[in-house]
Amino acid sequence: MTIRHPVLWAATLALAACGDAGKGDGAPDTLAAELAQDNAADPAVTAALRDRIMVDPTLAAQANGDAVRPPDRPYGAPVPSATVAAGSAGRDEKLEHAPAPGDCPTCRGGREALTLGELATAQRSGDRQCATKVGYSAVWANRLPGPFALHPDARVVEAAGTDADGCRLRVVHFVIARPVGQMVDWTYTRARRGGYSAEHQAEGEQHLVGGTRGDAAYVAFLTPDGDGTSVDLIVDGG
């Protein structure tokens, strides 16, 4: 068929010329090619598209929280350093110096315990039923016997306890922006002033201060935590 109308004939030639010119200039004729050309001109975009996806291995096990199979470790949350925004709320007091430490055969059990309940169970001799009845709540940190009331600068991380069936057990994990040596002396002094015996043991960097008063007993595991100290305190009775 011959195109006889002069306007249509001119339009047809113009379109043909545009198409040929575009191909001759090397311009992309698909969306994918256009995107590839634009990304190649932008190093940041190219790097972002080609780099491997980064994965935090500490959070990978917490994915799929509603899955049938549970994760391979307990859920955890980061705990700020004891020295973050630290400021003393307590007055300085004269402390007794704890004696030089002896060997610590029970320090290993304290390091291996994963929960406060396990820690309490590992430290109780004889009847361990009270340790299996502890409930977790920060309120237990305020129910410690007077001699072991927390230092004003202490930051409670976790606490557990029970008063069920004649038990009186308190377990508290806290951090404090004080050096471990000072906290050993502080625990030793408070225990002695409260009528408890006090013995100092150590293994590596971990210290233990423990003792008894009648049927009551206590033990404190103290470990350096940056410029501060991490403390696990167990009080049974009292």
Side-chain angles (χ1 to χ4, degrees):
M1 177 183 293
T2 303
I3 300 177
R4 299 183 182 279
H5 198 286
V7 176
L8 293 177
W9 178 252
T12 303
L13 291 176
L15 289 173
C18 289
D20 292 340
K23 291 181 180 179
D25 293 341
D29 58 358
T30 66
L31 179 60
E34 184 177 351
L35 291 175
Q37 179 173 312
D38 291 343
N39 292 339
D42 190 336
V45 174
T46 302
L49 292 174
R50 293 180 179 177
D51 281 354
R52 298 177 60 188
I53 297 174
M54 298 184 67
V55 178
D56 188 342
T58 62
L59 300 178
Q62 297 186 19
N64 301 322
D66 296 326
V68 174
R69 185 174 62 182
D72 60 357
R73 64 179 69 114
Y75 289 148
V79 178
S81 169
T83 56
V84 172
S88 179
R91 60 182 180 82
D92 291 331
E93 56 182 290
K94 187 174 182 180
L95 301 176
E96 299 180 40
H97 291 295
D103 294 335
C104 186
T106 59
C107 281
R108 182 176 180 180
R111 289 195 302 270
E112 293 179 349
L114 297 178
T115 67
L116 295 184
E118 288 184 12
L119 181 62
T121 300
Q123 296 307 307
R124 286 181 61 86
S125 59
D127 180 17
R128 298 185 175 184
Q129 291 185 358
C130 288
T132 65
K133 298 176 181 179
V134 296
Y136 288 78
S137 172
V139 71
W140 293 107
N142 295 323
R143 297 181 180 177
L144 289 163
F148 301 104
L150 295 181
H151 191 285
D153 296 344
R155 300 182 182 184
V156 175
V157 177
E158 192 174 27
T162 181
D163 285 329
D165 302 326
C167 300
R168 187 172 172 79
L169 183 62
R170 309 286 187 264
V171 193
V172 181
H173 172 52
F174 65 92
V175 293
I176 184 169
R178 301 274 180 143
V180 66
Q182 182 178 352
M183 290 309 301
V184 167
D185 290 345
W186 191 85
T187 306
Y188 177 85
T189 300
R190 286 302 181 100
R192 298 264 294 177
R193 290 176 181 173
Y196 288 82
S197 63
E199 183 178 1
H200 180 203
Q201 301 176 355
E203 182 178 88
E205 291 187 322
Q206 186 173 59
H207 294 257
L208 180 152
V209 179
T212 60
R213 186 184 69 182
D215 294 334
Y218 75 95
V219 61
F221 293 91
L222 306 100
T223 309
D225 182 3
D227 294 329
T229 304
S230 173
V231 183
D232 288 303
L233 173 64
I234 306 171
V235 184
D236 189 1

